[in-house]
Structure formats: C-alpha cells, structure tokens
Amino acid sequence: MLWLAGTPRESRAADAPSAPVRFTDITTAAGIHFTHNAGRTGKKWLPETMGSGVAFFDADGDGKPDILLINGSDWIAKGRHTTAALYHNNGNGTFTDATHGSGLDIEVHGMGVTIGDYDNDGRDDVYITAVGGDHLFHNEGGGKFRDVTKESGIANAQFASSAAWFDYDKDGKLDLFVGNYVQWTPQTDLWCSLDGSAKSYCTPESYKGTPAKLYHNLGNGKFEDVTTKAGLGEQTSKSLGVTVFDYNGDGWPDLFVANDTQPNKLYRNLGNGTFKEEALSAGVAFGEDGVARGAMGTDAVDYDRSGRQHLIVGNFSNQMLGLYHNEGTGLFVDEAPRSPVGRASLLNLTFGLFFFDYDLDGQPDIFAANGHLEEEIARVQPKIHYAQLPLLFRNVGAGKFEPVNGAFSEPLVARGAAYGDFDGDGDLDIVVSNNNGPARLYRNDGGNRNHWLQLKLTGTKSNRDGIGAAVRVTSAQGKQTQTVHSGSSYCSASDLALTFGLGKDATVTSVEIDWPSGKHQKLDNVKSNQRLAVTEN
C-alpha cells in the first residue's frame, strides 16, 4: 500500500453539507425498462430469491459508463425469452437498450457479473455467474461480445454468486475468483416451512456448500483451475460476496469471502501462488456472538485515513452490518454493535453493499441495498419487512458514520448494487437490481457541490485495467488512499475509475500510484473537477 499501516492516523470531522444531497430516481426518464425474472415456479426454489447483479462499465469504449443488468430465466417454460440487458449510455442522461445482437443476449439463470480486461486488449470483458454454468464474454469492440467460455478452459457449472478479477501473482494478467453457493438442483430441492404448513424458501443450512474457484490466466485467452493448488478449495463454504484488498499492506492482493451461515474466509496471499486462511485469528469469521452469520455483500476501503483498508459485510436480518476496523496487527474489530451503523441496520437483510464518497467531502460513505428473501416474513416476524429501504450512512470523520434519514423513499427487494458517474458530473450515481422487479437508477444530485478528481488507470506492464494499483491523493485537507478493485458489493461490478472527493480543495498537491508491477508514479499539482486518464510509465 502507499500509505503504510504504521503511519499515524489522520482524521478530521467532516463538514456538514451546505444542502442535502438527493438521490433522484430517474429510471424511467433515463430509458431503463428492465424487470428481473426470478423464474418463480410456485415451488419456492432457492435460486429464485438470490438474483441478481448489475454492472457499470464502458461496454463500447466511448468513455461513458454503460449499464448491464443480469437476469434470470424460467425454470418451467412459459414461452418467453429473458436475458441480461445492456443499456448504452447516450451521454445526455439517457440510455438506449443495446441488448439485441450484443452477444450478451443469451438465456441463462444469471446471478452475478464481474468486469475486467483479461487479455489486455483495451476492452473490458464480462464474466457472468449463473446457476448451472457461468459464461465468459470477450469484448469484440463496438458493444459486441463473444461467448468464449468453452475455449477459455473455464468450467464452473455450479450455483455461482459473486466473482472478481484480480492479478494474484502480479504477472500482468488478470486472474478470476468465482464464489459458489450451495449444492442445489431442481431435483434436490428440499421442503422447508416458516409455519409448519406452507412451503417456504429453505435457508442455506439445508444444503451442502460448494468450493469457490480460482482460475489462473495463462495468456492467449486460456485459464487453468488452480483452486486446490492455491489453497482455496475449502468444501463447506457457501460464498455470496467477495472483496479483494491488501489487508496487511504487503503489496499482495488478499481475498475476503462472505459466507452464508458458514464462517467467513480471509485468505492471505503468500506471494508464491498460494493463500493462507486467517479469518478466525483476524476476527472476521464470525459475528460478535461467535456464530456464523448470513453474510452477503462486502467491500473494503480506508475510511478513516489510517492507511489500512477496513471491511464491511452485509448480513441477514436481526444480525446488523459488520463494520470491521483493521487494527493493523492482523486483527479486525467489529465497530457496528456500538455505532449507529449497527443500530440502523439491525432489522435489514443486506445484499448489495459498498463504500463510496457520495458527497465528495473526502470521507468514504456507506450504501446498503436491502430486501428479504421471504414474502411472508412479516407473518412470523412482524418487525421484518419483505421490501426494505436502502440505507445511506454518511462518514462524519474519525471513523464515525451517521444514518442519512430520508435519502431513499421506496422500499425494494434489492439484491445487486453498483456505483458509477454515468452523467459525467463528478458525483457517483447508483444502480440497484430488484429481485423479480424493476431495476432502479438513482442520480446523485448535489454531491458535486464539493470538488473531486476521477482517475482512470491504464496499465502497461501491469494489467491493462490497473486492478490492484494503490493510489494516494494529497490535497490541503490531507491524504486519502484507494485501490482499483474488481468485485465487492453483491454479484455486481462498479466503475473501475477511482473518484476522490476533495471538499473545498480546488487543487491536488500530488497523485501517487503504486502499480502492481512495482512501478511508482507521481503527478504534481493536479486541478480538481476532471476525469484524468493515467497510463503506467
């Protein structure tokens, strides 16, 4: 990492915004007309409750973030054809449906998506996780994609969930981690009930877990399954979320895997192609009560300018979010139980989850997309609702967060969530997928009252997307660090460009980049309020 863990913490109380930032639902006005198909059969099959994800990425290379919404399919034929939906960013606040003929318009029971340029040709490729078989799509340019799954050597025919591209061996080529959930098929579906009479969706305890997968990029479009060799083949995991972060600051990307009703995993990258699992000793395997929680989405960032990346984990209702502060000694401490984050999230079931600086004051905030699995949950737990409001927590400095009341008014059955600046005004917008319902696009109105800087990195010796690059920005208000990372949230992919909030600082004193290749790069006296492309030199 650029800002070393031993450096004294730099914190400040965040200035209160001069006027509230609003997230305006512009879904219809923007031309987004997508409804997720959960494939409901009336039999309450487990995958119906879990999908699906969403991505912000530049599909056609025009410099503007497009939107990809992952879709399910009918388990029992109903004469309809549902696919993922690709929406082209028109650059004027609207989108055009570009799905037909894109190559992404194939029918699968999709769950998640991760974005990365695996062959370093300058175009971002798409990996879609699914029930029964994932798909790798090569970006051919111009918004067209080709399914290269079979020729790539990737063969993950499981119940897959979140995935992430990362260069675990730092050879300049992106490798792929895929989280798998449980062993389920229509033939092995079990009967479960909330009240002892009517069938309900089973909890994951009813099913056996499935090992995650690690695919090493061999080059020339080929991948090798190195899961067992790398030490990631744990058989009982029920993975739903993954975040890649360098938690010990040694320069090697580590993995945190959020598991549903099984202990979470923290895999330390040993730098020799293998990983060591350390979640228990690090304090992130279980909840505060020593019991494995129902963990879904996850993300990591340095939210208090300590130079260390901290974790957040979305959990089941009655479990609250996990907000794990990285103490810098290999140990994390869950701050949620004694903070407003824990109290405000206790009754929510959180899937999509990420850190982002929505008001651009230089302090990363928290967004949580919520929604229960069971429509009838209120019959047995009156305080728990099926559709739930998204939560927004503002970082007020010194590692403290406060709920932003009234930020969202429509309860959702939310699953995937991602952020990106789709309208190019500097502040970060949000897209949310709704299980068996319409997607939502929220425009950030007012975040750019503060200054900002966006950085889009291009690696040369490092992987083309610069994934794994650690960036330190210094301005009058102090230093802040972010890392380019794939994965995070739940089954979703946010824009790979980094957005730094600068508050009232109109100039950045320096931008320092530590590339995965080991190269160090520095830019001096950079003006704010611009999207800057930086190429590794």
Side-chain angles (χ1 to χ4, degrees), residues 73-148:
S73 61
D74 290 326
W75 296 104
I76 299 173
K78 297 181 180 179
R80 59 178 175 173
H81 181 70
T82 55
T83 74
L86 178 64
Y87 283 93
H88 168 73
N89 189 335
N90 297 323
N92 60 1
T94 69
F95 291 80
T96 298
D97 190 336
T99 310
H100 182 69
S102 66
L104 298 173
D105 49 347
I106 67 170
E107 192 167 27
V108 297
H109 200 86
M111 284 289 155
V113 58
T114 188
I115 304 297
D117 182 3
Y118 73 84
D119 59 352
N120 292 325
D121 66 353
R123 298 185 294 266
D124 277 331
D125 309 299
V126 175
Y127 188 83
I128 294 179
T129 63
V131 179
D134 301 349
H135 289 264
L136 175 62
F137 295 92
H138 182 262
N139 191 331
E140 303 287 293
K144 305 298 181 184
F145 296 82
R146 180 168 56 93
D147 190 338
V148 295

Side-chain angles (χ1 to χ4, degrees), residues 68 100 160 163 179 279 291 365 375 468 487:
L68 178 63
H100 182 69
V291 176
D365 311 297
E375 290 177 278

Side-chain angles (χ1 to χ4, degrees), residues 504-519:
K504 304 307 177 186
D505 298 347
T507 303
V508 169
T509 307
S510 66
V511 175
E512 295 180 78
I513 305 169
D514 279 348
W515 295 90
S517 66
K519 289 187 176 181

Side-chain angles (χ1 to χ4, degrees), residues 371 431 452-453 467 525:
V431 62
W452 50 275
L453 178 65
I467 289 174
N525 299 318

Side-chain angles (χ1 to χ4, degrees), residues 192-251:
C192 299
S193 177
L194 285 172
D195 57 12
S197 58
K199 188 178 191 294
S200 64
Y201 292 108
C202 291
T203 62
E205 289 102 330
S206 305
Y207 297 96
K208 293 181 179 180
T210 308
K213 292 287 187 181
L214 178 63
Y215 292 99
H216 178 239
N217 190 336
L218 300 174
N220 300 316
K222 304 293 185 183
F223 291 82
E224 175 190 12
D225 184 343
V226 295
T227 309
T228 302
K229 183 167 62 175
L232 300 177
E234 205 277 325
Q235 297 291 317
T236 62
S237 288
K238 301 174 182 179
S239 305
L240 286 180
V242 57
T243 194
V244 182
F245 73 130
D246 180 10
Y247 82 89
N248 58 354
D250 67 354

Side-chain angles (χ1 to χ4, degrees), residues 229-527:
K229 183 167 62 175
L232 300 177
E234 205 277 325
Q235 297 291 317
T236 62
S237 288
K238 301 174 182 179
S239 305
L240 286 180
V242 57
T243 194
V244 182
F245 73 130
D246 180 10
Y247 82 89
N248 58 354
D250 67 354
W252 291 91
D254 310 304
L255 288 168
F256 174 80
V257 182
N259 282 313
D260 192 359
T261 71
Q262 289 291 315
N264 297 323
K265 302 298 181 186
L266 179 62
Y267 293 105
R268 178 164 62 90
N269 190 333
L270 301 181
N272 61 1
T274 68
F275 294 78
K276 182 182 179 183
E277 207 287 297
E278 298 183 340
L280 183 60
S281 61
V284 297
F286 301 101
E288 191 181 38
D289 56 2
V291 176
R293 298 195 279 198
M296 274 75 71
T298 180
D299 196 14
V301 80
D302 177 8
Y303 63 71
D304 62 354
R305 303 192 182 187
S306 63
R308 302 183 293 272
Q309 294 184 73
H310 316 289
L311 273 171
I312 192 165
V313 183
N315 294 307
F316 209 78
S317 52
N318 294 313
Q319 293 180 340
M320 75 177 61
L321 296 177
L323 182 62
Y324 295 99
H325 185 268
N326 186 342
E327 300 293 296
T329 59
L331 180 68
F332 292 76
V333 174
D334 189 356
E335 302 281 355
R338 59 175 182 262
S339 81
V341 170
R343 293 190 293 273
S345 64
L346 179 60
L347 299 180
N348 292 99
L349 197 165
T350 300
F351 278 90
L353 180 69
F354 51 74
F355 291 106
F356 76 140
D357 187 358
Y358 81 91
D359 54 0
L360 300 174
D361 65 351
Q363 305 280 356
D365 311 297
I366 297 169
F367 174 81
N370 308 305
H372 210 275
L373 304 176
E374 178 56 62
E375 290 177 278
E376 303 298 320
I377 187 61
R379 288 199 296 115
V380 293
Q381 297 186 52
K383 293 183 178 181
I384 307 295
H385 301 286
Y386 179 54
Q388 302 174 358
L389 286 174
L391 294 177
L392 184 66
F393 295 94
R394 182 169 182 261
N395 187 335
V396 296
K400 306 298 182 184
F401 295 87
E402 292 182 353
V404 181
N405 296 322
F408 300 90
S409 59
E410 180 190 15
L412 304 173
V413 187
R415 296 296 182 258
Y419 60 83
D421 179 15
F422 82 86
D423 52 2
D425 65 353
D427 51 30
L428 293 169
D429 313 295
I430 299 172
V431 62
V432 179
S433 67
N434 212 13
N435 181 260
N436 211 51
R440 289 287 180 258
L441 177 62
Y442 297 103
R443 186 184 64 211
N444 184 329
D445 291 329
N448 59 6
R449 293 188 186 99
N450 281 323
H451 293 297
W452 50 275
L453 178 65
Q454 290 179 358
L455 297 170
K456 182 67 175 74
L457 304 190
T458 299
T460 52
K461 186 177 180 182
S462 304
N463 68 86
R464 182 86 178 196
D465 280 324
I467 289 174
V471 181
R472 183 176 71 207
V473 165
T474 304
S475 65
Q477 65 165 252
K479 302 177 181 69
Q480 47 184 309
T481 303
Q482 294 185 43
T483 301
V484 183
H485 64 291
S486 168
S488 291
S489 189
Y490 170 75
C491 287
S492 297
S494 294
D495 189 1
L496 290 173
L498 299 179
T499 296
F500 289 88
L502 300 173
K504 304 307 177 186
D505 298 347
T507 303
V508 169
T509 307
S510 66
V511 175
E512 295 180 78
I513 305 169
D514 279 348
W515 295 90
S517 66
K519 289 187 176 181
H520 180 80
Q521 194 167 346
K522 185 179 180 183
L523 308 174
D524 295 315
N525 299 318
V526 178
K527 291 183 178 179

